[in-house]
Amino acid sequence: LTVLAWTPPEPEPLPPPIPVDTVTTLQLDVSFEAVKEGSEVVLRFRVANPTSEAVTFEFSSGQKYDFGAWDATGRALWWWSADKAFTAAFESLTLRPGEALEFEERWAPVGVSGEIVLEATLTSLNLPVARQIGLEI
């Protein structure tokens, strides 16, 4: 028996990690708001370190955050990162006491109406943080 060539099967992709609310244990100050401005929704996500200790977040890529939206049935409507490319490099980011990370994006919900759920996520591997809010479109 001679093996001329063998390609191992592609492994099953791992599901994305479920965001964990680390605010209670880390005492981070996290806020997420969405405001309708004309035909767009402005999303603002802030993670601040009000403690006297530095907090370091580890990231597996250049992506630091994400925003998403889905309807009342759970159907995904939009993910900010869906059409983005990010560097594939491990990075760390340290928030010193009193520092904050702030992210803002805009979404134009074309053909969407009714109650939706919006989510903001800090995509840190070691300390993921997520917040969800509802919004009437």
Side-chain angles (χ1 to χ4, degrees), residues 8 12 14-15 21 25 45-46 50 52 56 59 61 66 68 75 77 102 111 114 116 130 132 137:
E12 289 289 321
L14 294 174
D21 186 348
T25 56
F45 182 42
R46 184 175 193 271
S52 59
T56 300
F59 299 92
S61 71
D66 206 354
R75 181 177 59 100
L77 302 171
E102 296 181 355
I116 62 168
Q132 293 181 348
I137 298 289

Side-chain angles (χ1 to χ4, degrees), residues 56-68:
T56 300
F57 298 96
E58 303 292 334
F59 299 92
S60 62
S61 71
Q63 182 181 8
K64 304 295 182 279
Y65 65 97
D66 206 354
F67 290 109

Side-chain angles (χ1 to χ4, degrees), residues 30-46:
V30 178
S31 63
F32 175 39
E33 69 175 2
V35 179
K36 291 189 289 187
E37 289 185 1
S39 63
E40 292 186 320
V41 176
V42 179
L43 303 117
R44 293 182 184 96
F45 182 42
R46 184 175 193 271

Side-chain angles (χ1 to χ4, degrees), residues 69-72 77 107 112-118 133-137:
W70 56 93
D71 65 17
L77 302 171
W107 172 47
V112 176
S113 64
E115 184 72 21
I116 62 168
V117 176
L118 297 166
I133 58 175
L135 184 69
E136 184 73 27
I137 298 289

